[in-house]
């Protein structure tokens, strides 16, 4: 039996590191959790020290690219914008008017525009790495990154809630207090507190993570299948699988932008709820 090529540590094997094909007497080397794990580029992940891997490198490069893009676009702004400034202004204005103003309002929302624009383009860039050659990995498919961004939004949300409404008013805001509910008020308040304080930040992070994790897994599945079927009569099926790779890549581009939009939309919704006065 022919086995897929593996390294000393099987958890570090990338799904495409194999010379296995159909009819060669080996099984299909499908993607798994090992497809989301990378050996450190620097340091030792098994010890207590610091380490630096491919995902961290992509996150760092993505951040640098975003900062460099907006710095180059706005360092010498012109009344009649050039192409780069025009693209940057369009992206900035899309988040400002299409998301922040729509959910928070122009007066209250203006101060949150820089944060929301930063989150939107960071999430989008981290998603885009999935379809960029050589990188080909969405940073947001590692739960730590969506969780960190959701935590930033959560802290802002809680801070604004109690700052705007006071301690008692903040609790009423989060619990949906409404004395007209009568006997079911305690039950409703408990459910609302559970939803707002625990479930919302959790789902905010998991929604982004799960979509990018699933999308990358599907891309890997069809990519590996194209290679695996490339043998004998399986070549015909490999062509179909490769077409699916192209289709899934196009669909993934759409999902990446939508997930960035939804993440910021929910962040704005939470801020708007925090600023709303409870009656």
């Amino acid at each position: 039996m022919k086995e897929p090529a593996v390294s000393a540590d099987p958890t570090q094997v990338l799904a495409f590191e194999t010379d296995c094909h159909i009819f060669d007497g080996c099984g299909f080397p499908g993607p798994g959790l090992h497809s989301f794990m990378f050996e450190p580029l620097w340091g030792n992940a098994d010890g207590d020290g610091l380490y630096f891997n491919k995902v961290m490198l992509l996150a760092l490069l993505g951040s640098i690219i975003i900062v460099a893009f907006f710095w180059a676009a706005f360092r010498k702004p012109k009344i009649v914008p050039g192409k780069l400034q025009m693209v940057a202004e369009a992206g900035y204005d899309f988040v400002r008017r299409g998301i922040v103003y729509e959910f928070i309002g122009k007066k209250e929302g203006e101060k949150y525009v820089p944060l929301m624009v930063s989150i939107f383009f960071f999430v989008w860039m981290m998603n885009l790495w999935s379809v960029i050659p050589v990188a080909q990995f969405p940073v947001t498919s590692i739960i730590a990154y969506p969780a960190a961004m959701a935590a930033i939004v959560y802290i802002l949300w809680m801070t604004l809630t109690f700052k705007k409404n006071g301690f008692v008013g903040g609790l009423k805001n989060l619990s949906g207090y409404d004395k007209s509910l009568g006997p079911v008020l305690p039950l409703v308040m408990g459910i609302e507190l559970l939803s707002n304080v625990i479930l919302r930040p959790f789902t905010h992070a998991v929604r982004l993570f799960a979509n990018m994790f699933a999308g990358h897994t599907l891309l890997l599945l069809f990519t590996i299948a194209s290679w695996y079927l490339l043998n004998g009569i399986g070549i015909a099926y490999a062509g179909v699988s490769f077409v699916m790779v192209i289709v899934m890549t196009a669909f993934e581009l759409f999902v990446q932008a939508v997930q960035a939009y939804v993440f910021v939309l929910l962040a704005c919704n939470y801020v708007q709820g925090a600023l709303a006065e409870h009656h």
Side-chain angles (χ1 to χ4, degrees):
M1 295 288 289
K2 191 173 182 179
E3 298 291 339
V6 297
S7 62
D9 184 356
T11 65
Q12 303 297 334
V13 181
L14 294 179
F16 51 78
E17 290 180 345
T18 176
D19 57 356
C20 179
H21 293 282
I22 193 171
F23 308 129
D24 282 348
C26 57
F28 177 65
L33 290 178
H34 58 274
S35 306
F36 295 82
M37 301 176 69
F38 299 91
E39 293 182 355
L41 301 172
W42 172 81
N44 184 8
D46 297 327
D48 297 328
L50 298 175
Y51 70 95
F52 192 78
N53 63 16
K54 176 181 177 179
V55 183
M56 298 175 184
L57 177 61
L58 293 178
L60 178 61
L61 287 177
S63 301
I64 293 173
I65 289 171
I66 295 167
V67 172
F69 170 73
F70 281 102
W71 179 83
F74 293 124
R75 66 189 180 95
K76 292 182 179 180
K78 299 178 181 179
I79 297 177
V80 180
K83 293 181 180 179
L84 190 62
Q85 183 181 335
M86 188 180 298
V87 172
E89 286 182 352
Y92 187 91
D93 210 45
F94 168 75
V95 177
R96 181 176 63 176
R97 296 181 182 275
I99 307 178
V100 180
Y101 285 3
E102 286 291 325
F103 283 86
I104 305 177
K106 184 175 181 180
K107 182 179 179 181
E108 291 284 354
E110 188 63 42
K111 66 180 72 173
Y112 304 105
V113 171
L115 174 63
M116 297 305 171
V117 169
S118 299
I119 292 176
F120 177 86
F121 282 98
F122 180 80
V123 173
W124 195 12
M125 184 69 240
M126 296 306 104
N127 293 348
L128 277 174
W129 282 125
S130 175
V131 295
I132 295 177
V134 180
Q136 294 176 309
F137 187 84
V139 174
T140 44
S141 67
I142 302 298
I143 187 62
Y145 294 91
M149 289 183 288
I152 292 172
V153 174
Y154 180 74
I155 292 171
L156 174 64
W157 175 26
M158 290 293 116
T159 302
L160 290 174
T161 297
F162 290 104
K163 183 179 179 180
K164 177 73 174 180
N165 303 283
F167 181 74
V168 175
L171 287 178
K172 288 182 177 180
N173 184 299
L174 292 171
S175 63
Y177 176 82
D178 184 354
K179 61 182 180 181
S180 66
L181 292 174
V184 299
L185 179 59
L187 176 62
V188 172
M189 290 179 66
I191 294 173
E192 285 294 315
L193 278 174
L194 176 64
S195 173
N196 288 327
V197 179
I198 298 177
L199 296 182
R200 274 193 174 187
F202 175 75
T203 56
H204 196 197
V206 170
R207 181 182 286 104
L208 173 60
F209 156 73
N211 276 279
M212 299 317 301
F213 184 94
H216 186 61
T217 301
L218 284 173
L219 277 175
L220 278 177
L221 180 65
F222 286 111
T223 302
I224 297 168
S226 299
W227 174 254
Y228 179 70
L229 294 170
L230 205 60
N231 187 21
I233 193 174
I235 292 176
Y237 303 107
V240 175
S241 182
F242 184 71
V243 169
M244 286 302 302
V245 172
I246 297 174
V247 171
M248 288 304 304
T249 299
F251 181 69
E252 191 69 3
L253 283 168
F254 171 74
V255 171
Q256 289 162 0
V258 168
Q259 287 305 310
Y261 176 84
V262 170
F263 194 90
V264 174
L265 182 149
L266 290 173
C268 289
N269 186 51
Y270 298 157
V271 170
Q272 187 277 331
L275 298 176
E277 293 186 6
H278 183 80
H279 299 285

